[in-house]
Amino acid sequence: GEAAHKDREAKRKLHDFIDEFDPTAVKPKDGDGVSGNAGSKSADGRGKGSSGVAKGSSFSTRNRTSSFERLVEYYRNAHKDLPSTEFFGLQLKVTGEGEMPLISYFPSISKAAPDSPSRVIHGGARLEPRKGSGFMFWFIDRVDGKGVYLKVTKQEMDAYRFRGFFNDILAEDDADYFRVFGLGRLLLSETKKSYRLEIEDLNRLTIFAVKKKQFA
């Protein structure tokens, strides 16, 4: 109907778009984060080289992906390039859950509900001083008045094949803060004084450095 037509019209304006995201795709056991059709391109650039779809081309299986990087890239580009009315109209089918507005699959921290299923929770965050290879972020926004953190342990980092990608970004010392996207859920911490963003694995996390000079 009308909504589907608007969804298609908006997607035609984008270099790359996604109709279905499959978060359940089984990942190879060796810690190789490249899933399905992402191929070696996402191994070197973590998804940056994913092929676009020519404008107006027909819908095909290329618009179904299990690449978290590509999904986040699509969300960010749509947010940047489309007028808000079109952006809000974008639909995403999530394997195992069904169709929903793209924006409801991407709640910002301040809108994330602790009891909701796994979602791409995102927001600005500040990096704690690193001790060793792990890292920890505190989000700038709060949930129910409580702080929210994301912690990645030394063990998780040491086992992750693409850890260099995170290390390079976290080392950008002129970053004002970081923008974090993680597919997971908010869980109340043991002390009940804060929430932690529990992500499924490091293939479901992506981080961007936000520079002061972008605002100058």
Side-chain angles (χ1 to χ4, degrees):
E2 180 74 2
H5 176 71
K6 283 189 170 140
D7 176 60
R8 275 200 300 277
E9 286 298 306
K11 282 175 176 165
R12 278 204 183 97
K13 298 180 180 179
L14 298 167
H15 162 68
D16 185 26
F17 63 83
I18 291 167
D19 289 318
E20 182 172 357
F21 173 59
D22 184 0
T24 62
V26 178
K27 288 175 278 298
K29 285 284 174 280
D30 64 352
D32 178 354
V34 181
S35 47
N37 56 11
S40 60
K41 272 185 176 162
S42 69
D44 45 21
R46 287 227 345 168
K48 293 213 173 37
S50 61
S51 59
V53 175
K55 281 192 171 65
S57 64
S58 64
F59 284 43
S60 72
T61 51
R62 288 168 68 182
N63 302 115
R64 178 170 188 254
T65 188
S66 57
S67 164
F68 182 67
E69 299 298 323
R70 188 179 156 202
L71 180 72
V72 170
E73 204 61 30
Y74 161 57
Y75 173 88
R76 293 177 80 225
N77 287 334
H79 186 262
K80 187 173 95 253
D81 297 339
L82 293 176
S84 56
T85 49
E86 291 189 306
F87 176 66
F88 292 143
L90 291 172
Q91 298 293 310
L92 179 70
K93 186 176 179 197
V94 179
T95 309
E97 281 201 66
E99 192 142 2
M100 64 187 78
L102 179 67
I103 53 165
S104 63
Y105 196 60
F106 274 80
S108 61
I109 274 286
S110 58
K111 295 193 171 72
D115 50 0
S116 94
S118 222
R119 291 288 177 263
V120 184
I121 296 172
H122 61 96
R126 303 201 189 282
L127 182 66
E128 291 284 292
R130 292 182 75 182
K131 304 178 186 75
S133 55
F135 58 90
M136 181 165 168
F137 281 110
W138 280 98
F139 285 93
I140 295 165
D141 287 333
R142 300 167 84 80
V143 171
D144 300 338
K146 296 179 167 70
V148 182
Y149 67 88
L150 166 75
K151 186 173 185 184
V152 174
T153 65
K154 173 187 186 307
Q155 289 80 358
E156 287 169 320
M157 272 294 267
D158 291 348
Y160 186 53
R161 190 176 150 195
F162 298 116
R163 59 187 171 273
F165 170 83
F166 289 132
N167 284 328
D168 288 350
I169 290 168
L170 299 177
E172 293 189 36
D173 51 13
D174 58 343
D176 190 25
Y177 64 94
F178 294 88
R179 191 150 154 71
V180 177
F181 289 81
L183 178 60
R185 301 173 60 196
L186 290 181
L187 300 178
L188 202 56
S189 66
E190 273 93 66
T191 64
K192 302 200 170 17
K193 291 189 173 127
S194 58
Y195 285 103
R196 79 172 189 277
L197 172 53
E198 180 79 22
I199 56 169
E200 292 160 25
D201 65 54
L202 289 180
N203 294 306
R204 299 289 187 242
L205 174 68
T206 193
I207 301 164
F208 301 92
V210 181
K211 307 287 174 72
K212 283 194 180 84
K213 58 178 176 283
Q214 287 177 343
F215 301 107

